[in-house]
Amino acid sequence: MEHLLEVRQLRTQFRTEEGLVPSVNGVSFALQRGETLAIVGESGSGKSVTSLSIMGLIASPGVIAGGEIWFDGSNLLQLSRREMRQRRGNDLSIIFQEPMTSLNPVFTISYQIGEVLRRHQGLSRKAANEQSIAMLERVGIPNAPKVARSFPHQLSGGMRQRVMIAIALACKPKLLIADEPTTALDVTIQAQILELIAALAKEENTGVILITHDLGVVAEMADRVAVMYAGEIVEEASVFELFKNPKHPYTIGLLGSMPSMHERRNRLNSIPGSVPSLLDMPEGCPFHPRCSYADAQCARVKPRLEEHAAGHRVSCMKAEEVSL
């Protein structure tokens, strides 16, 4: 089966005064049409930089230092800036976590949705305005004509996020990246936004990459999960397999830190230690200083991401011993 998206050994670095920081270090994964892949991990694990690399939005001092990003038959890293701008917003779109920093405060909502339609679909101003109102209605915004004439600061957080979804889906993209799309929203609105993304993606058979640290969201939304740590994927499996049979100690730590309705605990579990500095990575397995399974070999030899079972990849030499 041909993949909609295939990322091969992606490496993204940032130049700093202290040296090159390898924010994404050899990441590989694939996505099918209509599939939802969740990428999870702590802050600083490389999730968002991976998504920005796919979108071609890495700006100086960042640089994509190696790898390939194959999307719908072409390597995005070989496209010119003009070609990438044409595909971005049209074939692939992104929803950022904070709409107030993504929406322009001096333009109306209809202008901002319409701009995408005029640029990529060639619609007239009148047709783009009509389509903008239709998109607002489609994402569940009441009194869409009035909202279309509004400015971002006049809307609630939930409505602004719906506007961002309307912009992202206006041109019916083949790939949608949702980067922490519900971080600043209350729980009720979070559920509505996630249901909306899932429903619209299913309608259009859109591939979705969901960037999150919320494993409850992952369980609800994803078909497959990739767990990132220190710029690398350390485990990847179907959502059912990952929750039932995790094989990387870091994944088990993440799952153990989730609150449970069925188990009474005085304190939530936590992973000891902290994420290593990307400028000073430990020898061997990046996770070994925090891992209860680690031995001398783990401190010396870096494991490879290998298939543990069908569709289940793990980067851990102790995978056979690890269990919930």
Side-chain angles (χ1 to χ4, degrees):
M1 183 185 297
E2 184 181 345
H3 302 304
L4 172 64
L5 174 74
E6 186 174 3
V7 177
R8 302 175 185 170
Q9 291 298 311
L10 176 66
R11 293 187 296 113
T12 303
Q13 302 173 342
F14 289 86
R15 299 185 188 92
T16 71
E17 293 180 354
E18 298 176 355
L20 280 175
V21 177
S23 184
V24 175
N25 191 17
V27 163
S28 298
F29 63 87
L31 181 75
Q32 310 291 345
R33 296 178 191 277
E35 181 181 37
T36 297
L37 171 70
I39 302 180
V40 304
E42 294 169 278
S43 296
S45 62
K47 308 184 301 296
S48 292
V49 175
T50 298
S51 68
L52 292 173
S53 299
I54 294 169
M55 293 295 297
L57 293 174
I58 297 294
S60 181
V63 60
I64 296 178
E68 300 174 347
I69 302 173
W70 289 91
F71 173 72
D72 202 25
S74 61
N75 185 359
L76 297 182
L77 299 184
Q78 293 180 343
L79 300 183
S80 67
R81 286 188 178 183
R82 184 174 180 276
E83 290 170 327
M84 192 62 201
R85 278 198 303 269
Q86 186 59 36
R87 303 209 74 172
R88 186 170 52 237
N90 198 28
D91 294 329
L92 57 164
S93 290
I94 187 166
I95 304 168
F96 293 105
Q97 58 182 294
E98 181 42 67
M100 274 306 281
T101 61
S102 304
L103 294 170
N104 193 316
V106 301
F107 291 112
T108 63
I109 298 303
S110 64
Y111 179 91
Q112 295 186 61
I113 301 175
E115 183 180 28
V116 177
L117 294 164
R118 293 193 303 274
R119 176 182 290 271
H120 294 294
Q121 304 289 308
L123 299 187
S124 66
R125 186 174 292 274
K126 180 181 178 183
N129 185 61
E130 292 172 354
Q131 185 63 27
S132 298
I133 293 171
M135 283 303 303
L136 291 175
E137 291 172 343
R138 193 176 179 204
V139 298
I141 289 181
N143 199 357
K146 180 181 177 182
V147 171
R149 297 190 297 272
S150 302
F151 293 88
H153 72 272
Q154 296 175 302
L155 307 182
S156 67
M159 289 182 74
R160 286 195 294 264
Q161 196 60 289
R162 287 174 186 268
V163 170
M164 288 298 299
I165 295 171
I167 292 172
L169 295 177
C171 296
K172 300 183 179 179
K174 299 171 184 176
L175 172 66
L176 174 67
I177 298 175
D179 188 356
E180 302 275 11
T182 60
T183 295
L185 305 177
D186 64 57
V187 175
T188 305
I189 303 300
Q190 280 186 26
Q192 294 174 3
I193 294 297
L194 292 170
E195 287 173 11
L196 176 62
I197 292 172
L200 294 176
K202 186 175 181 181
E203 270 181 46
E204 303 293 343
N205 199 33
T206 303
V208 177
I209 296 177
L210 177 65
I211 311 290
T212 184
H213 60 267
D214 188 333
L215 289 168
V217 169
V218 171
E220 185 72 24
M221 289 274 293
D223 299 306
R224 287 189 303 116
V225 188
V227 180
M228 287 192 71
Y229 182 79
E232 302 176 8
I233 291 178
V234 296
E235 185 162 14
E236 182 188 353
S238 70
V239 66
F240 179 80
E241 176 70 10
L242 191 96
F243 277 76
K244 180 185 176 185
N245 188 32
K247 283 298 172 186
H248 197 284
Y250 179 60
T251 307
I252 289 175
L254 291 178
L255 292 171
S257 66
M258 289 177 62
S260 173
M261 294 177 62
H262 309 293
E263 182 183 348
R264 187 171 180 178
R265 291 182 281 182
N266 292 326
R267 295 184 64 183
L268 290 176
N269 295 330
S270 62
I271 303 172
S274 58
V275 179
S277 167
L278 295 175
L279 281 167
D280 186 25
M281 292 290 288
E283 292 290 323
C285 174
F287 188 64
H288 89 261
R290 308 174 69 187
C291 180
S292 60
Y293 292 88
D295 60 16
Q297 184 186 28
C298 299
R300 190 176 64 253
V301 180
K302 186 172 181 177
R304 293 185 298 177
L305 185 62
E306 296 178 325
E307 195 159 73
H308 172 77
H312 190 163
R313 299 191 299 161
V314 189
S315 174
C316 179
M317 291 177 285
K318 302 292 182 181
E320 296 297 337
E321 304 172 22
V322 173
S323 62
L324 272 176

